[in-house]
Amino acid sequence: MAGNTFGSTFKVTTFGESHGEALGGIIDGCPAGLKINFDAIQTEMQRRKPGQSKIVTQRKEPDAVKFLSGIFEGKTTGTPIGFVIENTNQKSKDYSHIKDTYRPSHADYTYDKKYGIRDYRGGGRSSARETASRVAAGAIAKQLLSKIKINAFVSSVGDIFIDKPYQDLDFTKIESNDIRCPDTPTAKKMITRINEIKKAGDTIGGTITCVLQNVPVGLGEPVFDKLHAQLGKAMLSINAVKGFEFGSGFCGAKMKGSEHNDLFNEDGTTKSNLSGGIQGGISNGMDIYFRVAFKPVATIMQKQETINSKGELTQMQGKGRHDPCVVPRAVPIVEAMAALVLADFWLLNKMSKL
Amino acid sequence: MAGNTFGSTFKVTTFGESHGEALGGIIDGCPAGLKINFDAIQTEMQRRKPGQSKIVTQRKEPDAVKFLSGIFEGKTTGTPIGFVIENTNQKSKDYSHIKDTYRPSHADYTYDKKYGIRDYRGGGRSSARETASRVAAGAIAKQLLSKIKINAFVSSVGDIFIDKPYQDLDFTKIESNDIRCPDTPTAKKMITRINEIKKAGDTIGGTITCVLQNVPVGLGEPVFDKLHAQLGKAMLSINAVKGFEFGSGFCGAKMKGSEHNDLFNEDGTTKSNLSGGIQGGISNGMDIYFRVAFKPVATIMQKQETINSKGELTQMQGKGRHDPCVVPRAVPIVEAMAALVLADFWLLNKMSKL
Amino acid sequence: MAGNTFGSTFKVTTFGESHGEALGGIIDGCPAGLKINFDAIQTEMQRRKPGQSKIVTQRKEPDAVKFLSGIFEGKTTGTPIGFVIENTNQKSKDYSHIKDTYRPSHADYTYDKKYGIRDYRGGGRSSARETASRVAAGAIAKQLLSKIKINAFVSSVGDIFIDKPYQDLDFTKIESNDIRCPDTPTAKKMITRINEIKKAGDTIGGTITCVLQNVPVGLGEPVFDKLHAQLGKAMLSINAVKGFEFGSGFCGAKMKGSEHNDLFNEDGTTKSNLSGGIQGGISNGMDIYFRVAFKPVATIMQKQETINSKGELTQMQGKGRHDPCVVPRAVPIVEAMAALVLADFWLLNKMSKL
Amino acid sequence: MAGNTFGSTFKVTTFGESHGEALGGIIDGCPAGLKINFDAIQTEMQRRKPGQSKIVTQRKEPDAVKFLSGIFEGKTTGTPIGFVIENTNQKSKDYSHIKDTYRPSHADYTYDKKYGIRDYRGGGRSSARETASRVAAGAIAKQLLSKIKINAFVSSVGDIFIDKPYQDLDFTKIESNDIRCPDTPTAKKMITRINEIKKAGDTIGGTITCVLQNVPVGLGEPVFDKLHAQLGKAMLSINAVKGFEFGSGFCGAKMKGSEHNDLFNEDGTTKSNLSGGIQGGISNGMDIYFRVAFKPVATIMQKQETINSKGELTQMQGKGRHDPCVVPRAVPIVEAMAALVLADFWLLNKMSKL
């Protein structure tokens, strides 16, 4: 597989390490004739960017996407769209202390064992910095699917949860606070919590909920490439993700069929939507919603025992600029990956019937 | 994508509808020289087979796998392994009542809209009968990876959960009861519960936990084809699955980094294993464990309101032979899909370094 | 790659050895709603079938294609089409003499070295019998593309060539003689030649020309999956093929630009067509034509020196039923592979622009 | 397919238009631990580069490859290798005359019809400038396969052919003249011929022969991804290629089996090698050799009648800097594509047997 390509028709391949020259990627398969809004792309980049608020890492990267091909006079031409994002703020010295040391719950150990060599600076390829390329590609997918509404938001931080169904939330408020939680009172609690955690040199996990609206009926390619299976893969491929559920999710596993079934209205919509907008792996036109679990960031500002590449015990402490909680910055990444999944299936669905 | 192939090097493509002539598939990429134990394959088929106990559907299929190619004098030859499983017990008449009616929370409506045509008999391609082919292919993957231990079991039915960590369970007891729960007292409660549900003409959801042991370090292909991302996709592609979590999963989203980090021992193993055996998308040699949520079976033996293909309201009631709870039969399917994922990554890992 | 799948959207995967239980395949990605003409499929099978005339091998196989899935009430459903072709006339005894001996210019040696094991009966997977599955799949592709005319014919046997441009030939005469050459006087010479060769226990090579008409503008996916590149790969994947050229081909390499350029008419057609209907890897609406070179069949009825698996020199002589010249039976195979290429690109082209 | 990726394990995806910002690509799947010789890469770039001699186009591009990722401290890390090649010498004004005009035997018309939009500057994506990315990627593949000798050379220009078998040529002389023909007297004739052609404002075709030596036994993945089928596709994907033949090629189609068969020596080598080093689609350890036909460059410095995008007849004449004969610069491209094919199969072959 060689693991760095996502999608089969709207295909995105990314490259780049945290502290290398640049990140970037190629989108192959974007249909010709799409007018590109470059400002909208940069807005997405800003949402993911470090240093955007006090509760995220203070590493500063302009994260400007430079397009190198595939767009001519503002429109896509059907040829591959190459793009780069320069790493302008590489502080490689910050990372010399981990050159020979494996950080706990990071990918240092596994990369070293798998590849026999590792770019240790900032985690190299395993750094979440790689997701900048995903956000850039996803921003184009969003423009391709302009009729579909994609809204992700932070639904929990630690044990602080939004206690309302998503239908009662105002998505226009997602960007109104640093945590990207559309429920203002909950948002405040989350921010307070993150500040406490940060002071303690610790980190904390959280969840993101994503809602996809106006998705046409018919997206998804059973039996292996079901819409929710591909969404699940997309989300699980994001750094720090530990779980994915859609529709009724894990709660659905406690229910009875008579409670869980979504009865139809005459127009094909359903009265309830525990299915989460997908039946048999194919979108049914109802809202698609899913929830993604993120573990706490592994780099903490506390001393931890660990080992070095010789298998000797040693102590280490996080340095540099790290997020105390990954979820606010992960919101645009979740949306980007959802957009990539939808774009791929939207194209594939053109071939379903004569 | 055309959705019916899983894997990139150990590639499985399946075909077949619930009430068509036969199911089957092709395994392309199985290395040459593997001695095949045909009895072991058939044992896996028996575990998935309908009619094996009182708490599963009484549809009777011998589910004998017939291999047509790729195996010579008992060994794989490196050429594609074609196989078929005949549908000997097709009761197509049972399904005439759903010819023009969309069953709630089934794939009838979405298949009809996507393809404009639908083999309505028993759900056609969307039936879980398709998973027979997966179990057959997975049984070969298991033999390829004979050193890896793959154990799935039912960890909950409705709100009845095993309340022990998997380390305290005896996996040799999984097959000792009809529900495939290795904790005998819990198993009894689950069976009682399913029998009640069945009498009420209802169905119930549940979860399956799967543990992969002795997995070599290095499996997984970041950044998109992370080991857990592909496991998640594999599981989510199984009928009725609503959620997937590995390691600390959704609980991990409530934790702090100082609690969650897995500290190393000098030999590279870790003291705790909230990572679930995977770091940065690559296996680290520790146990891999994950949990899969299954919704209640949509076909219930109670009257439900629904619509037909003309958009008219109508009533329907499940007929035929259906499972009141899908999880006991899904255990070998979960194992089979896990085996397919591991086989693929095991082959891919041969190419990681010089 | 695992090598047994062709195409990316109209995907065909085949399995089967010459003397195994059965051959077959899966077509994944055929759009739903295509009415299938089963007689037309069987007609194609008859054209490829051994024993159809005196100048081909007398091995007798009914080569009946049995469809197992993906077709319901005579129409494709969008789900994978599984099919099998039984091997009813396996004379495995004929082949015991090659169990440990490598036939010259066959794949015995390379399969043994690559896989360490080999189904020696009739060449196993390397036998041209595998192409029966291609013809079956290609017959469905032809029906999908019913407006495109696909005509292949024998253009040379040894040094006997048709000395006319294809425009002067009557394609309805292709099936009028055993050699499938539409030019009757040349056909007669070819047949005479083959009969001489056969009497001498020898074999002879030949070429097939294929003409694709009414191909819509726009098929082909540069820069790697150019229409002619994929046609070339398709043809070169057929047993015994040594060369491929399209349009002006190797002759074009001797020409000057001022001679070779195809000038436009006002409607976008071209006055000449040395480009062979393809410019920049994309069909331009003109006739596509190409030529395929087949080497002489390696199995001859003369004694040859060779080696066995221990590296000892030994003598052998072809036994059983073999073709003195492969081209007449290869005509439907060339057409089938061309149809598979066109079907794939026809589907892909639906995604080229908004 | 989306057409811009080559290979399945050593996967190369390219982007870039002739007059866009930059060209480049991503190599995904190069094993970790390969020491990179950057000078050797640049040497390959120089061989393909325009302006290197008097008989090629005088467009001047430094064609410096800038690597952005996947290489750390001089070695590959197993992560994707991103690279860019800037377009420093864009003379977009040269091409304004073709903005609305379709050049005969170019891809202008087909790109316009397929995509509905076209970057007309220098042919955009359809320009052979794209092959710079292939040469960069191929240079890395060459280093991965350092034991394999890959030598391509010009074997004909127009009707001037080398009249010796490749075994009689000294490959160290390939780079000794501007035409890259290792037979000095023939090289001189070719150069004289090209100069005449150039003076006449015309262009001429030619062929390249490529010889692959020390290829291990076992490369190739039948039945569709045969070694020669993939080589053929690779070559046919190069701009201006019209034909491909390997081993005996089209001549083999005139031969008898008793003449054509390659008899074995006791060590598994063969006395003759009309098979061209490949049997059944798998390398047999003998030299692999093939021949590629290139048409004359379509841009000529003579007036030609053509049409514009409105379908009106108009006259045009080539401007700017163009090659009178493409073959000398195509030599490194042929080698690069051969290297990519071999690298892919070399990796795949690691999975053939237990």
Side-chain angles (χ1 to χ4, degrees), chain B residues 2 4 11 13-17 21-22 26 28 32 68-70 72 75-77 79-80 115 117-119 121 125, chain C residues 2 4-5 13-17 21-22 26 28 32 68-70 72 76-77 79-80 115 117-121 125:
Chain B
N4 296 285
K11 277 171 76 171
T13 307
T14 71
F15 68 85
E17 277 82 39
E21 194 91 29
I26 302 176
D28 196 15
L68 303 176
S69 67
F72 183 57
K75 284 188 176 170
T76 58
T77 60
T79 63
Y115 300 112
I117 181 176
R118 160 174 76 97
D119 179 350
R121 300 167 304 164
R125 181 72 178 154
Chain C
N4 296 285
T5 296
T13 307
T14 71
F15 68 85
E17 276 82 40
E21 194 91 28
I26 302 176
D28 196 16
L68 303 176
S69 67
F72 183 60
T76 58
T77 60
T79 64
Y115 299 113
I117 182 177
R118 159 175 76 96
D119 179 351
Y120 54 81
R121 300 167 304 166
R125 180 71 177 155

Side-chain angles (χ1 to χ4, degrees), chain D residues 139-176:
Chain D
I140 296 212
K142 277 187 172 183
Q143 296 186 24
L144 182 66
L145 306 169
S146 55
K147 288 178 190 163
I148 298 178
K149 293 186 206 163
I150 301 175
N151 281 292
F153 56 88
V154 171
S155 43
S156 76
V157 168
D159 54 10
I160 304 166
F161 279 75
I162 299 180
D163 58 358
K164 295 171 188 164
Y166 77 82
Q167 292 87 343
D168 295 350
L169 299 173
D170 177 1
F171 292 160
T172 65
K173 287 196 182 157
I174 293 172
E175 293 298 314
S176 70

Side-chain angles (χ1 to χ4, degrees), chain B residues 196-235:
Chain B
E196 289 165 9
I197 285 287
K198 192 181 169 186
K199 261 181 217 158
D202 211 337
T203 61
I204 193 159
T207 62
I208 289 176
T209 295
C210 184
V211 184
L212 312 175
Q213 293 170 306
N214 296 346
V215 176
V217 184
L219 306 197
E221 300 290 325
V223 294
F224 293 113
D225 300 324
K226 288 176 175 168
L227 177 46
H228 56 268
Q230 199 67 4
L231 281 171
K233 176 175 175 173
M235 298 307 142

Side-chain angles (χ1 to χ4, degrees), chain C residues 44 55 124-126 172 175 182 187 268 275 294 300 317 347:
Chain C
E44 292 299 315
I55 59 169
R125 180 71 177 155
S126 74
T172 65
E175 294 298 314
S275 298
F294 291 79
I300 59 177
Q317 183 169 344
L347 289 176

Side-chain angles (χ1 to χ4, degrees), chain A residues 263-265 268 279, chain B residues 94-113 118-124 126 299 302-319:
Chain A
L263 302 187
F264 281 104
N265 296 311
Q279 278 160 346
Chain B
D94 274 355
Y95 293 96
S96 57
H97 66 298
I98 58 163
K99 184 175 174 179
D100 298 313
T101 307
Y102 300 133
R103 292 169 297 166
S105 288
H106 268 283
D108 302 341
Y109 175 81
T110 51
Y111 268 66
D112 229 18
K113 293 293 168 190
R118 160 174 76 97
D119 179 350
Y120 54 80
R121 300 167 304 164
S126 74
T299 300
Q302 300 176 358
K303 265 197 189 143
Q304 292 180 101
E305 195 162 73
T306 192
I307 57 168
N308 61 23
S309 55
K310 293 175 198 153
E312 299 160 341
L313 287 175
T314 174
Q315 283 211 328
M316 76 176 313
Q317 182 170 345
K319 286 184 192 176

Side-chain angles (χ1 to χ4, degrees), chain A residues 295-308:
Chain A
K295 70 169 186 175
V297 172
T299 300
I300 57 176
M301 300 298 131
Q302 300 177 358
K303 263 196 190 142
Q304 292 180 101
E305 196 163 72
T306 191
I307 57 169
N308 62 24

Side-chain angles (χ1 to χ4, degrees), chain D residues 63-292:
Chain D
D63 279 359
V65 186
K66 193 171 165 188
F67 289 96
L68 303 176
S69 67
I71 300 170
F72 183 59
E73 298 179 344
K75 283 189 177 171
T76 59
T77 60
T79 63
I81 301 168
F83 63 89
V84 291
I85 304 156
E86 279 180 48
N87 284 326
T88 54
N89 192 20
Q90 311 146 339
K91 289 210 178 173
S92 292
K93 283 174 196 167
D94 274 355
Y95 293 96
S96 57
H97 66 298
I98 58 163
K99 183 176 174 180
D100 298 312
T101 307
Y102 300 134
R103 292 168 298 166
S105 289
H106 269 282
D108 302 342
Y109 176 80
T110 52
Y111 268 67
D112 230 15
K113 293 293 167 190
K114 182 177 182 68
Y115 300 113
I117 181 176
R118 161 174 76 96
D119 178 351
Y120 54 81
R121 300 167 304 165
R125 180 71 178 155
S126 74
S127 163
R129 176 136 185 76
E130 176 270 331
T131 58
S133 301
R134 303 185 184 203
V135 171
I140 296 212
K142 277 187 172 183
Q143 296 186 24
L144 182 66
L145 306 169
S146 55
K147 288 178 190 163
I148 298 178
K149 293 186 206 163
I150 301 175
N151 281 292
F153 56 88
V154 171
S155 43
S156 76
V157 168
D159 54 10
I160 304 166
F161 279 75
I162 299 180
D163 58 358
K164 295 171 188 164
Y166 77 82
Q167 292 87 343
D168 295 350
L169 299 173
D170 177 1
F171 292 160
T172 65
K173 287 196 182 157
I174 293 172
E175 293 298 314
S176 70
N177 55 58
D178 290 348
I179 191 72
R180 296 203 165 88
C181 171
D183 189 53
T184 313
T186 311
K188 282 182 186 161
K189 286 185 215 162
M190 290 171 169
I191 292 170
T192 305
R193 184 63 189 279
I194 289 175
N195 282 325
E196 290 164 11
I197 284 288
K198 191 180 169 185
K199 261 181 216 156
D202 212 338
T203 61
I204 193 158
T207 61
I208 290 175
T209 295
C210 184
V211 184
L212 312 175
Q213 293 169 307
N214 295 347
V215 176
V217 184
L219 305 197
E221 301 289 325
V223 296
F224 293 113
D225 299 324
K226 288 176 174 166
L227 177 47
H228 56 269
Q230 198 67 5
L231 281 170
K233 175 174 175 173
M235 298 307 142
L236 288 155
S237 77
I238 300 172
N239 305 51
V241 172
K242 303 298 288 182
F244 170 87
E245 60 178 3
F246 75 106
S248 62
F250 276 88
C251 285
K254 297 183 194 165
M255 294 173 77
K256 290 189 286 183
S258 56
E259 299 165 336
H260 193 277
N261 284 351
D262 295 319
L263 300 187
F264 282 104
N265 297 310
E266 292 176 55
D267 62 356
T269 62
T270 58
K271 294 176 206 300
S272 57
N273 181 21
L274 290 164
S275 298
I278 302 171
Q279 278 159 346
I282 299 169
S283 61
N284 68 354
M286 301 295 292
D287 287 0
I288 294 170
Y289 59 98
F290 57 85
R291 211 160 63 95
V292 188

